[in-house]
Amino acid sequence: MPKQPPLTRADIMNRVDIPKDVWTFWTRGGVLQPVEGGRGTGNRNKFPWYEANIAAIMNQLRILGVKIEGMLSIARVYRDSIAYFEGLGVDRDQVNALWQLFIIQGHIVAKRTEWHRVRDFVNAPDLNPERFLHLVEAAADYSIEDVWAEEIEAAPDEKHGAQRVTLELWDLWSTLTREEFYRHLDPYLTVTEQPKPGEPGVENSNLEEMTYFWRVGEGDEYRFSWGSSTKAGEDGATAMIAVDVTAVLYKVWNSDTDEAAGHDEGEGE
């Protein structure tokens, strides 16, 4: 995903259809944030492009009654995820490649466990090796390097596509921790999404493809998870908000707003 230019206030307002009073309340309260260092007169209405996505998600939550304090807790998670991956110096395609390496690692752990089980079986003193020749061969032929190569080769986008695994990404991946990577992964992939016509999932309304939002306790802290309400249950939540985020973001990037944008460009510039 190439680096996107910042958007103006008018562009986001038109793309997301945010009322002016709501915009003022959100920007003063920190729900939406201009570009870093953009507090001066000329820059205060320039926003990172992903703020349009945050605004669109927040607008759905506003309609459903979430208070600004809850929005701030959600927006913070999105921005933390962006900061995490920007700090690694990777773009969205490279994040997917790193993710593939973690998936492959899981496959290899499972294969290694199976190999140890087979090896212990064939090494039993009372085993007749001729009877279980295929297992004996499997136990002898295990190579972690070969398994890595086979798994990467089997991933269709990794060898030739934009999400391919490179030596540089491999080196970076070796420094990462699974827990921290996965903590930031879903929020990042959600908030950096720019769905286009014809992309898989754009028209979905499947509850399993929703993003679920829920309150933690009786306060205004919210958490969220894509595609599953399991974590909500772990928090003891008995009620959740389900948002089809992909459909929401599709409207942001595929509606006739470019011509309309700019009717209040001069305000506050």
Side-chain angles (χ1 to χ4, degrees):
M1 181 185 66
K3 187 175 180 62
Q4 303 291 328
L7 300 176
T8 66
R9 175 187 65 180
D11 195 19
I12 295 180
M13 290 181 68
N14 280 283
R15 286 179 180 275
V16 183
D17 194 22
I18 302 175
K20 187 174 293 185
D21 60 336
V22 172
W23 176 273
T24 301
F25 184 54
W26 281 1
T27 52
R28 289 178 178 174
V31 174
L32 300 177
Q33 297 180 4
V35 294
E36 186 175 350
R39 300 298 181 182
T41 302
N43 289 327
R44 65 187 180 189
N45 291 326
K46 298 290 186 180
F47 292 81
W49 69 270
Y50 54 76
E51 290 291 320
N53 283 355
I54 293 177
I57 297 169
M58 296 303 109
N59 205 37
Q60 292 298 310
L61 297 178
R62 174 185 70 86
I63 293 169
L64 294 169
V66 176
K67 298 178 182 178
I68 189 172
E69 291 82 4
M71 296 180 189
L72 288 170
S73 70
I74 294 168
R76 188 180 310 116
V77 176
Y78 284 132
R79 292 196 183 92
D80 285 350
S81 71
I82 291 171
Y84 172 74
F85 288 112
E86 285 187 345
L88 296 178
V90 292
D91 61 24
R92 198 171 194 271
D93 286 330
Q94 292 169 324
V95 169
N96 275 291
L98 292 170
W99 184 16
Q100 186 63 36
L101 284 171
F102 277 109
I103 293 173
I104 290 172
Q105 183 187 48
H107 293 170
I108 289 177
V109 169
K111 288 185 176 182
R112 181 184 291 176
T113 301
E114 176 64 15
W115 177 78
H116 281 294
R117 188 188 69 80
V118 171
R119 187 188 62 177
D120 291 343
F121 177 79
V122 301
N123 286 338
D126 56 346
L127 179 79
N128 181 351
E130 294 183 358
R131 184 180 177 186
F132 299 97
L133 186 59
H134 66 291
L135 292 180
V136 173
E137 292 175 349
D141 290 344
Y142 183 87
S143 166
I144 188 69
E145 292 80 8
D146 289 344
V147 174
W148 268 107
E150 291 171 3
E151 288 283 346
I152 292 177
E153 183 73 24
D157 292 332
E158 301 312 309
K159 188 173 180 59
H160 304 292
Q163 300 176 12
R164 65 187 181 279
V165 174
T166 64
L167 291 176
E168 291 79 11
L169 286 179
W170 186 295
D171 289 340
L172 174 61
W173 173 81
S174 67
T175 70
L176 304 178
T177 62
R178 175 182 289 268
E179 181 180 2
E180 187 174 22
F181 181 88
Y182 274 94
R183 179 161 56 88
H184 294 292
L185 180 63
D186 281 350
Y188 176 82
L189 293 180
T190 297
V191 82
T192 59
E193 190 175 7
Q194 288 182 296
K196 298 292 186 292
E199 289 186 357
V202 166
E203 302 298 333
N204 77 72
S205 57
N206 188 332
L207 287 176
E208 294 181 356
E209 300 295 325
M210 299 285 191
T211 296
Y212 291 88
F213 300 84
W214 63 90
R215 281 202 309 176
V216 181
E218 297 298 321
D220 288 313
E221 180 188 352
Y222 274 73
R223 293 177 183 166
F224 59 96
S225 176
W226 175 81
S228 172
S229 57
T230 303
K231 294 181 181 178
E234 294 173 356
D235 282 338
T238 56
M240 292 164 286
I241 297 171
V243 176
D244 190 342
V245 170
T246 296
V248 169
L249 300 188
Y250 177 84
K251 294 180 180 179
V252 173
W253 302 107
N254 299 279
S255 58
D256 297 328
T257 58
D258 291 333
E259 294 181 4
H263 68 273
D264 66 342
E265 283 287 335
E267 296 184 22
E269 293 290 351

